Amino acid sequence: MSLLVVGSVAFDDLETPFGRRERALGGSATYFSLSASRFHPVRIVAVVGEDFGPDQMRVFEGRPIDLAGLSKVKGLSFHWKGAYGYDLNEAKTLATDLNVFADFKPDLPANYRECDYLFLGNIDPVLQLDVVRQMARRPKWIALDTMNYWIRGSRPALDAVLKEVDILLVNDAEVRELTQEYSLIKAYKKVRALGPSTLVVKRGEYGVALFTPDGIFAAPAYPLENVFDPTGAGDTFAGGFLGYLAWIERTDVTALKHATLVGSVMASFTVEQFSTERLEQISQDEVRNRLALFSDMIRVEDL
Amino acid sequence: MSLLVVGSVAFDDLETPFGRRERALGGSATYFSLSASRFHPVRIVAVVGEDFGPDQMRVFEGRPIDLAGLSKVKGLSFHWKGAYGYDLNEAKTLATDLNVFADFKPDLPANYRECDYLFLGNIDPVLQLDVVRQMARRPKWIALDTMNYWIRGSRPALDAVLKEVDILLVNDAEVRELTQEYSLIKAYKKVRALGPSTLVVKRGEYGVALFTPDGIFAAPAYPLENVFDPTGAGDTFAGGFLGYLAWIERTDVTALKHATLVGSVMASFTVEQFSTERLEQISQDEVRNRLALFSDMIRVEDL
């Protein structure tokens, strides 16, 4: 099994009611790979600029993260500046500087072109499709994240890539905008017609809803005393979800449910500190313990 | 075991993106009793006006609902007019005419003064406390619902009644305003200091979180294809929750978890039609079947 992520590696300026960070490590491929690599080796395809130095690279070191597809080019790295209000549910984007990302054209190393699990992070659907087309054979599972910006502005390209996708991972507002359906059950039917057989709806503090051909599952978020910064929670979830599936080598609905719990637990660590601070530090024991607590929490004896 | 509800019986004018109803049956005691009476007999304490006629009374007939405490007085019944936007999460109140409710002073019939389960619907906390004081002996469990209006405007009275309460049933915004804590874990700690040992946080389409001294539980909402009118969902939940507990005669955490599922399923029926239309019609088989589907949906094998 091999697991590949295409996405962003970035610098984030973050502001929440609980503090701020400047030029903190961020980006979808960053969170995804730090999370997924707890369970399975990951290959990254992304681009950074000359300002991405040894301090940043160190975060990936000592982990089963293959950086052969992380190209470093002239210019500055992608930079995002966002602020959150007290409810932490929605980021206000204050600045987006694409920088080297503006000319990003993923070019997969030869050995990346065969992979079993592919995660297409939230980037231009034209690039997402381009990555799919570079595959020597069809991956077992392709998962995709997107956002309202692409749903509104790049619908034909998004529709084209969705035809190739198995698992769509988005939030409530995104799937509702994509399908023009408020009911998630109706939305899921339309998603299936677009391509993906599985839909994962990320609901922040309310958890995750999973729609599969074999039924629906929903799990709450792992409850936390302190949430500092929700940035990266969705990509951390995706990393745990696909990393676990790649490790377990199963695609049945029980595996998908378990992957949902694993993704939720991984995301719960990310939001407890700014940027990747907590995600970098957690031990395997902490992951295991929280998974056990979470499983207990949602368990109900038969009624 | 006996179960008593104190709350409103009202006429509602309802408007949602899916239609409208005028002078539809509403009120917390209405939804609560229709839901709870599926599981256990209920006694109602409430007041209606002369406009509350046989058509309205008929809805309660043929069910184990004791109306000895429903007084009919000169004047018009409580009337609420509300509208919902497309997301259905928050009602916009267009009119509140207290009418006979303005002078409501609950006076419990003698045989009501001993009860095992007491639900204090969302009314003036002064009245809620007055009802508690009329009890000949302390009920086994007292549950209370309230809203931001009382949290902001009647805090001393609310604090006084909360000291007597075992189970607080509110939504996210209400418990956050009550405790001034964003984290529900921290909020629960403050709720316990106020009196209630158990906290039920109603989250609409996102389900319910249950906080008990023995741990936390969370369940999603039962997913629906069509939601027409969320009015009464919270009181329907409370009715299923307490009706089930009164029936099962257990107070352990498993019973509370099951009560959460029962309440959620009952609420899922309410929102499928306007007012009490669906709640009035459902069969015991429909309740049973949906409970089985819901239990299946949230079940996960051990990870």
Side-chain angles (χ1 to χ4, degrees), chain A residues 111-177:
Chain A
N111 65 327
Y112 276 35
R113 290 171 192 251
E114 295 216 357
C115 84
D116 299 295
Y117 294 85
L118 170 61
F119 179 64
L120 303 166
N122 170 24
I123 58 174
D124 187 333
V126 172
L127 301 184
Q128 291 175 320
L129 185 60
D130 184 47
V131 169
V132 173
R133 296 235 163 104
Q134 289 181 49
M135 291 289 139
R137 60 171 169 81
R138 199 191 181 286
K140 195 165 169 180
W141 263 356
I142 302 178
L144 177 143
D145 183 16
T146 190
M147 69 193 290
N148 288 343
Y149 179 81
W150 308 117
I151 295 169
R152 278 173 217 156
S154 305
R155 191 57 194 263
L158 182 59
D159 282 342
V161 67
L162 279 174
K163 283 197 182 76
E164 310 294 330
V165 166
D166 304 286
I167 307 175
L168 175 66
L169 294 111
V170 284
N171 68 31
D172 301 48
E174 287 155 358
V175 73
R176 283 171 173 154
E177 181 147 359

Coordinates of all heavy atoms in Angstrom, one line a residue, chain A residues 111-177:
Chain A
N111 N 8.3 7.2 -9.2 CA 7.9 6.1 -8.2 C 6.6 6.5 -7.5 O 6.0 5.7 -6.7 CB 9.0 5.8 -7.2 CG 9.3 7.0 -6.3 OD1 9.2 8.1 -6.7 ND2 9.7 6.7 -5.1
Y112 N 6.1 7.8 -7.7 CA 4.9 8.2 -7.0 C 3.7 7.8 -7.9 O 2.5 7.9 -7.5 CB 4.9 9.7 -6.9 CG 5.6 10.3 -5.6 CD1 6.7 9.7 -5.1 CD2 5.1 11.4 -5.0 CE1 7.3 10.3 -4.0 CE2 5.7 12.0 -3.9 CZ 6.8 11.4 -3.4 OH 7.5 12.0 -2.4
R113 N 3.9 7.4 -9.1 CA 2.8 7.3 -10.1 C 2.0 6.0 -9.9 O 1.0 5.8 -10.6 CB 3.4 7.4 -11.5 CG 3.8 8.9 -11.8 CD 4.5 9.1 -13.1 NE 5.1 10.4 -13.1 CZ 4.7 11.4 -13.9 NH1 3.7 11.2 -14.7 NH2 5.3 12.6 -13.8
E114 N 2.5 5.2 -9.0 CA 1.7 4.1 -8.6 C 1.4 4.3 -7.1 O 2.3 4.3 -6.3 CB 2.4 2.7 -8.8 CG 2.7 2.4 -10.3 CD 2.6 1.0 -10.6 OE1 2.4 0.2 -9.6 OE2 2.8 0.6 -11.7
C115 N 0.1 4.5 -6.8 CA -0.2 4.6 -5.4 C -1.6 4.0 -5.2 O -2.4 3.9 -6.1 CB -0.1 6.0 -4.9 SG -1.5 7.0 -5.1
D116 N -1.8 3.6 -3.9 CA -3.1 2.9 -3.6 C -4.1 3.9 -3.0 O -5.3 3.7 -3.3 CB -2.8 1.8 -2.6 CG -1.8 0.8 -3.2 OD1 -2.2 0.1 -4.1 OD2 -0.7 0.7 -2.7
Y117 N -3.6 4.8 -2.3 CA -4.5 5.8 -1.7 C -4.0 7.2 -2.0 O -2.8 7.5 -1.8 CB -4.5 5.7 -0.1 CG -5.1 4.4 0.3 CD1 -4.3 3.2 0.4 CD2 -6.5 4.3 0.6 CE1 -4.9 2.0 0.8 CE2 -7.0 3.1 1.0 CZ -6.3 2.0 1.1 OH -6.8 0.8 1.5
L118 N -4.8 8.0 -2.6 CA -4.5 9.3 -3.1 C -5.4 10.4 -2.4 O -6.6 10.3 -2.5 CB -4.6 9.4 -4.6 CG -4.4 10.8 -5.2 CD1 -3.1 11.4 -5.0 CD2 -4.7 10.7 -6.8
F119 N -4.8 11.3 -1.7 CA -5.6 12.4 -1.2 C -5.3 13.7 -1.9 O -4.1 14.2 -2.0 CB -5.3 12.7 0.3 CG -6.1 13.8 0.9 CD1 -7.5 13.7 1.0 CD2 -5.4 14.9 1.4 CE1 -8.2 14.8 1.5 CE2 -6.2 16.0 1.9 CZ -7.6 15.9 2.0
L120 N -6.3 14.2 -2.6 CA -6.2 15.5 -3.3 C -6.6 16.6 -2.4 O -7.9 16.8 -2.1 CB -7.1 15.5 -4.5 CG -6.8 14.3 -5.5 CD1 -7.9 14.1 -6.5 CD2 -5.4 14.5 -6.2
G121 N -5.7 17.3 -1.7 CA -6.0 18.4 -0.8 C -6.7 19.5 -1.6 O -6.8 19.5 -2.8
N122 N -7.2 20.5 -0.8 CA -8.0 21.6 -1.3 C -7.1 22.5 -2.2 O -6.7 23.6 -1.6 CB -8.7 22.3 -0.2 CG -9.3 23.6 -0.5 OD1 -9.7 23.8 -1.7 ND2 -9.5 24.4 0.4
I123 N -6.9 22.2 -3.4 CA -6.3 23.1 -4.4 C -7.1 23.2 -5.7 O -8.2 22.6 -5.7 CB -4.8 22.6 -4.7 CG1 -4.9 21.2 -5.3 CG2 -3.9 22.6 -3.5 CD1 -3.5 20.7 -5.8
D124 N -6.7 23.9 -6.6 CA -7.4 24.1 -7.9 C -7.7 22.7 -8.5 O -6.8 21.9 -8.7 CB -6.4 24.9 -8.8 CG -7.1 25.2 -10.1 OD1 -8.1 24.6 -10.6 OD2 -6.7 26.2 -10.7
P125 N -9.0 22.5 -8.8 CA -9.4 21.2 -9.3 C -8.7 20.8 -10.6 O -8.6 19.6 -10.9 CB -10.9 21.3 -9.5 CG -11.3 22.7 -9.3 CD -10.2 23.4 -8.5
V126 N -8.2 21.8 -11.3 CA -7.5 21.5 -12.6 C -6.2 20.8 -12.2 O -5.8 19.8 -12.8 CB -7.1 22.9 -13.3 CG1 -6.2 22.6 -14.4 CG2 -8.4 23.5 -13.8
L127 N -5.5 21.2 -11.1 CA -4.3 20.6 -10.6 C -4.7 19.2 -10.1 O -3.9 18.2 -10.3 CB -3.6 21.4 -9.6 CG -3.2 22.8 -10.0 CD1 -2.4 23.5 -8.9 CD2 -2.3 22.7 -11.3
Q128 N -5.8 19.1 -9.4 CA -6.2 17.8 -8.8 C -6.4 16.8 -9.9 O -5.9 15.6 -9.8 CB -7.5 18.0 -8.0 CG -7.3 18.8 -6.7 CD -8.7 19.0 -6.0 OE1 -9.7 19.3 -6.6 NE2 -8.6 19.0 -4.6
L129 N -7.0 17.2 -11.0 CA -7.3 16.3 -12.1 C -5.9 15.9 -12.8 O -5.7 14.8 -13.2 CB -8.2 16.9 -13.1 CG -8.6 16.0 -14.3 CD1 -9.3 14.7 -13.8 CD2 -9.6 16.7 -15.2
D130 N -5.1 16.9 -12.9 CA -3.8 16.7 -13.5 C -3.0 15.6 -12.7 O -2.4 14.7 -13.3 CB -3.0 18.0 -13.5 CG -1.7 17.9 -14.2 OD1 -1.7 17.3 -15.3 OD2 -0.6 18.3 -13.7
V131 N -3.1 15.6 -11.4 CA -2.4 14.6 -10.6 C -3.0 13.2 -10.9 O -2.3 12.2 -11.1 CB -2.5 14.9 -9.1 CG1 -2.1 13.8 -8.2 CG2 -1.7 16.2 -8.8
V132 N -4.3 13.2 -10.9 CA -5.0 11.9 -11.2 C -4.5 11.3 -12.6 O -4.2 10.1 -12.7 CB -6.5 12.0 -11.2 CG1 -7.2 10.7 -11.7 CG2 -7.0 12.4 -9.8
R133 N -4.4 12.2 -13.5 CA -4.0 11.8 -14.9 C -2.6 11.3 -15.0 O -2.2 10.6 -15.9 CB -4.2 13.0 -15.9 CG -5.7 13.4 -16.0 CD -6.2 13.4 -17.4 NE -7.6 13.4 -17.5 CZ -8.4 14.4 -17.7 NH1 -7.8 15.6 -18.0 NH2 -9.7 14.3 -17.8
Q134 N -1.7 11.7 -14.0 CA -0.3 11.3 -14.0 C -0.2 9.9 -13.4 O 0.9 9.3 -13.4 CB 0.5 12.3 -13.2 CG 0.7 13.6 -13.9 CD 1.6 14.6 -13.1 OE1 2.7 14.2 -12.6 NE2 1.1 15.8 -12.9
M135 N -1.2 9.4 -12.8 CA -1.1 8.0 -12.2 C -1.0 7.0 -13.3 O -1.7 7.0 -14.3 CB -2.4 7.7 -11.4 CG -2.6 8.6 -10.2 SD -1.4 8.1 -8.9 CE -0.9 9.7 -8.3
A136 N 0.0 6.1 -13.0 CA 0.2 5.0 -14.0 C -0.9 4.0 -14.0 O -1.3 3.4 -15.0 CB 1.5 4.3 -13.7
R137 N -1.5 3.8 -12.8 CA -2.8 3.0 -12.7 C -3.7 3.6 -11.7 O -3.3 4.4 -10.9 CB -2.4 1.5 -12.3 CG -1.7 1.5 -10.9 CD -1.6 0.0 -10.4 NE -0.8 0.0 -9.2 CZ -1.1 0.3 -8.0 NH1 -2.3 0.7 -7.7 NH2 -0.2 0.2 -7.0
R138 N -5.0 3.3 -11.8 CA -5.9 3.9 -10.9 C -5.7 3.5 -9.5 O -5.6 2.3 -9.1 CB -7.3 3.5 -11.3 CG -8.4 4.5 -10.8 CD -9.8 4.0 -10.9 NE -10.6 5.1 -10.3 CZ -10.7 5.3 -9.0 NH1 -10.1 4.7 -8.1 NH2 -11.5 6.3 -8.6
P139 N -5.6 4.5 -8.6 CA -5.4 4.2 -7.1 C -6.7 3.4 -6.7 O -7.7 3.6 -7.3 CB -5.3 5.5 -6.5 CG -4.9 6.5 -7.5 CD -5.5 6.0 -8.8
K140 N -6.5 2.7 -5.6 CA -7.6 2.0 -5.0 C -8.7 3.0 -4.5 O -9.9 2.8 -4.8 CB -7.0 1.2 -3.8 CG -7.9 0.2 -3.2 CD -7.0 -0.7 -2.3 CE -7.8 -1.7 -1.5 NZ -6.9 -2.5 -0.6
W141 N -8.2 4.0 -3.8 CA -9.1 5.0 -3.4 C -8.6 6.4 -3.6 O -7.4 6.7 -3.2 CB -9.4 4.8 -1.9 CG -10.7 4.1 -1.6 CD1 -11.6 3.7 -2.6 CD2 -11.2 3.7 -0.4 NE1 -12.6 3.0 -2.0 CE2 -12.5 3.0 -0.6 CE3 -10.8 3.8 0.9 CZ2 -13.3 2.5 0.4 CZ3 -11.6 3.3 1.9 CH2 -12.8 2.6 1.7
I142 N -9.4 7.2 -4.2 CA -9.0 8.7 -4.3 C -10.0 9.5 -3.5 O -11.2 9.4 -3.6 CB -9.1 9.1 -5.8 CG1 -8.2 8.3 -6.7 CG2 -8.8 10.6 -5.9 CD1 -8.3 8.6 -8.2
A143 N -9.4 10.3 -2.6 CA -10.2 11.2 -1.8 C -9.9 12.6 -2.1 O -8.8 12.9 -2.5 CB -9.9 10.9 -0.3
L144 N -10.9 13.5 -2.0 CA -10.8 14.9 -2.4 C -11.4 15.8 -1.4 O -12.5 15.6 -0.9 CB -11.4 15.0 -3.8 CG -11.4 16.5 -4.4 CD1 -11.2 16.4 -5.9 CD2 -12.8 17.2 -4.1
D145 N -10.7 16.9 -1.2 CA -11.2 18.0 -0.4 C -11.4 19.2 -1.3 O -10.6 19.3 -2.3 CB -10.3 18.3 0.7 CG -10.8 19.4 1.7 OD1 -12.0 19.8 1.6 OD2 -10.0 20.0 2.4
T146 N -12.4 20.0 -1.1 CA -12.5 21.3 -1.9 C -13.1 22.3 -1.1 O -13.3 22.2 0.1 CB -13.2 21.0 -3.2 OG1 -13.1 22.1 -4.1 CG2 -14.7 20.7 -3.0
M147 N -13.4 23.5 -1.7 CA -14.0 24.6 -0.9 C -14.9 25.4 -1.8 O -14.9 25.2 -3.0 CB -12.9 25.5 -0.3 CG -12.2 26.3 -1.3 SD -10.6 27.0 -0.7 CE -11.3 28.3 0.4
N148 N -15.7 26.3 -1.1 CA -16.7 27.0 -1.9 C -16.1 27.9 -3.0 O -16.7 28.0 -4.1 CB -17.5 28.0 -0.9 CG -18.4 27.2 0.0 OD1 -18.7 26.0 -0.3 ND2 -18.9 27.8 1.0
Y149 N -14.9 28.3 -2.8 CA -14.2 29.1 -3.9 C -14.2 28.3 -5.2 O -14.4 28.9 -6.3 CB -12.8 29.4 -3.4 CG -12.0 30.2 -4.4 CD1 -12.1 31.6 -4.5 CD2 -11.0 29.6 -5.2 CE1 -11.4 32.3 -5.5 CE2 -10.2 30.3 -6.1 CZ -10.4 31.6 -6.2 OH -9.7 32.3 -7.1
W150 N -13.8 27.0 -5.1 CA -13.7 26.2 -6.4 C -15.1 25.8 -6.8 O -15.4 25.7 -8.0 CB -12.9 25.0 -6.1 CG -11.5 25.3 -5.6 CD1 -11.0 24.9 -4.4 CD2 -10.5 26.0 -6.2 NE1 -9.7 25.3 -4.2 CE2 -9.4 26.1 -5.3 CE3 -10.3 26.7 -7.4 CZ2 -8.2 26.7 -5.6 CZ3 -9.2 27.4 -7.7 CH2 -8.1 27.4 -6.8
I151 N -16.0 25.5 -5.8 CA -17.4 25.1 -6.2 C -18.1 26.2 -7.0 O -18.8 25.9 -8.0 CB -18.2 24.7 -4.9 CG1 -17.6 23.5 -4.2 CG2 -19.7 24.5 -5.2 CD1 -18.1 23.2 -2.8
R152 N -17.8 27.4 -6.6 CA -18.5 28.6 -7.3 C -17.7 28.9 -8.6 O -18.3 29.2 -9.6 CB -18.4 29.8 -6.4 CG -19.6 29.8 -5.4 CD -19.4 31.0 -4.4 NE -19.9 30.6 -3.1 CZ -19.5 31.1 -2.0 NH1 -18.6 32.1 -1.9 NH2 -20.0 30.6 -0.8
G153 N -16.4 28.9 -8.5 CA -15.6 29.5 -9.6 C -15.0 28.5 -10.6 O -14.6 28.9 -11.7
S154 N -15.0 27.2 -10.3 CA -14.3 26.2 -11.2 C -15.1 25.0 -11.3 O -14.6 23.9 -11.2 CB -12.9 25.9 -10.6 OG -12.2 27.1 -10.5
R155 N -16.4 25.1 -11.4 CA -17.3 24.0 -11.4 C -17.0 22.9 -12.5 O -17.0 21.7 -12.2 CB -18.8 24.4 -11.4 CG -19.8 23.3 -11.1 CD -19.5 22.7 -9.7 NE -20.2 21.4 -9.6 CZ -21.4 21.3 -9.0 NH1 -21.9 22.4 -8.4 NH2 -22.0 20.2 -8.9
P156 N -16.8 23.4 -13.7 CA -16.5 22.3 -14.7 C -15.3 21.5 -14.4 O -15.3 20.2 -14.5 CB -16.3 23.1 -16.0 CG -17.0 24.4 -15.8 CD -16.8 24.7 -14.3
A157 N -14.2 22.1 -14.0 CA -13.0 21.4 -13.6 C -13.3 20.5 -12.4 O -12.8 19.3 -12.3 CB -11.9 22.4 -13.3
L158 N -14.0 21.0 -11.4 CA -14.3 20.2 -10.2 C -15.2 19.0 -10.6 O -14.9 17.9 -10.1 CB -15.1 21.1 -9.2 CG -15.4 20.5 -7.9 CD1 -14.2 19.9 -7.2 CD2 -16.2 21.4 -7.0
D159 N -16.2 19.2 -11.5 CA -17.0 18.1 -11.9 C -16.1 17.0 -12.6 O -16.4 15.8 -12.4 CB -18.1 18.6 -12.8 CG -19.3 19.2 -12.1 OD1 -19.4 19.0 -10.8 OD2 -20.1 19.9 -12.7
A160 N -15.2 17.5 -13.4 CA -14.3 16.5 -14.1 C -13.5 15.7 -13.1 O -13.4 14.5 -13.3 CB -13.4 17.3 -15.1
V161 N -12.9 16.3 -12.1 CA -12.1 15.5 -11.2 C -13.0 14.7 -10.3 O -12.6 13.5 -9.9 CB -11.1 16.4 -10.4 CG1 -11.8 17.3 -9.4 CG2 -10.1 15.5 -9.6
L162 N -14.2 15.2 -9.9 CA -15.1 14.4 -9.0 C -15.5 13.1 -9.7 O -15.7 12.1 -9.0 CB -16.3 15.2 -8.7 CG -16.2 16.2 -7.6 CD1 -17.4 17.1 -7.4 CD2 -15.8 15.6 -6.2
K163 N -15.5 13.0 -11.0 CA -15.8 11.8 -11.7 C -14.8 10.7 -11.3 O -15.2 9.5 -11.4 CB -15.8 12.0 -13.2 CG -17.1 12.7 -13.7 CD -17.2 12.5 -15.2 CE -18.4 13.2 -15.8 NZ -18.2 14.6 -15.9
E164 N -13.6 11.1 -11.0 CA -12.5 10.1 -10.7 C -12.5 9.8 -9.2 O -11.6 8.9 -8.8 CB -11.2 10.7 -11.1 CG -11.2 11.3 -12.5 CD -11.3 10.1 -13.5 OE1 -10.9 9.0 -13.2 OE2 -11.9 10.4 -14.6
V165 N -13.3 10.5 -8.4 CA -13.1 10.4 -6.9 C -14.0 9.4 -6.2 O -15.1 9.2 -6.6 CB -13.3 11.8 -6.3 CG1 -13.4 11.8 -4.8 CG2 -12.1 12.8 -6.7
D166 N -13.4 8.7 -5.2 CA -14.2 7.8 -4.4 C -14.8 8.4 -3.1 O -15.9 8.1 -2.7 CB -13.3 6.6 -4.0 CG -12.7 5.9 -5.2 OD1 -13.4 5.3 -6.0 OD2 -11.5 6.2 -5.5
I167 N -14.0 9.2 -2.5 CA -14.4 9.8 -1.2 C -14.3 11.3 -1.2 O -13.2 11.9 -1.5 CB -13.4 9.3 -0.1 CG1 -13.4 7.8 -0.1 CG2 -13.9 9.8 1.3 CD1 -12.4 7.2 0.9
L168 N -15.4 12.0 -1.0 CA -15.4 13.4 -0.9 C -15.4 13.8 0.5 O -16.3 13.4 1.3 CB -16.7 14.0 -1.7 CG -16.9 15.5 -1.6 CD1 -15.8 16.2 -2.3 CD2 -18.3 15.8 -2.2
L169 N -14.5 14.6 0.9 CA -14.4 15.1 2.3 C -14.6 16.6 2.3 O -13.7 17.4 1.9 CB -13.0 14.8 2.9 CG -12.6 13.4 3.2 CD1 -11.5 13.0 2.2 CD2 -12.2 13.2 4.6
V170 N -15.7 17.1 2.8 CA -16.0 18.5 2.8 C -16.8 18.9 4.1 O -17.2 18.0 4.8 CB -16.8 18.9 1.6 CG1 -16.0 19.0 0.3 CG2 -18.0 18.0 1.3
N171 N -17.1 20.1 4.3 CA -17.9 20.5 5.4 C -19.4 20.7 5.0 O -19.7 20.6 3.8 CB -17.4 21.7 6.2 CG -17.4 23.0 5.4 OD1 -18.3 23.2 4.5 ND2 -16.5 23.9 5.6
D172 N -20.3 20.9 5.9 CA -21.7 21.0 5.6 C -22.0 22.1 4.5 O -22.7 21.8 3.6 CB -22.5 21.6 6.8 CG -22.4 20.8 8.1 OD1 -21.3 20.4 8.5 OD2 -23.4 20.6 8.7
A173 N -21.4 23.2 4.7 CA -21.7 24.3 3.8 C -21.3 24.0 2.4 O -21.9 24.3 1.4 CB -21.1 25.6 4.3
E174 N -20.1 23.3 2.3 CA -19.6 23.0 1.0 C -20.4 22.0 0.3 O -20.7 22.1 -0.9 CB -18.1 22.5 1.2 CG -17.2 23.6 1.5 CD -15.9 23.2 2.2 OE1 -15.8 22.0 2.5 OE2 -15.1 24.1 2.5
V175 N -20.8 20.9 1.0 CA -21.6 19.9 0.3 C -23.0 20.5 -0.1 O -23.6 20.1 -1.1 CB -21.7 18.6 1.1 CG1 -22.6 18.7 2.3 CG2 -22.2 17.5 0.2
R176 N -23.5 21.4 0.8 CA -24.8 22.0 0.5 C -24.7 22.9 -0.8 O -25.6 22.9 -1.6 CB -25.3 22.7 1.7 CG -25.9 21.8 2.7 CD -26.3 22.4 4.0 NE -26.9 21.4 4.9 CZ -27.0 21.4 6.2 NH1 -26.4 22.4 6.9 NH2 -27.6 20.4 6.8
E177 N -23.6 23.6 -0.9 CA -23.4 24.5 -2.0 C -23.2 23.6 -3.3 O -23.7 23.9 -4.4 CB -22.2 25.4 -1.8 CG -22.0 26.4 -3.0 CD -21.5 27.7 -2.6 OE1 -21.3 28.0 -1.4 OE2 -21.3 28.6 -3.5

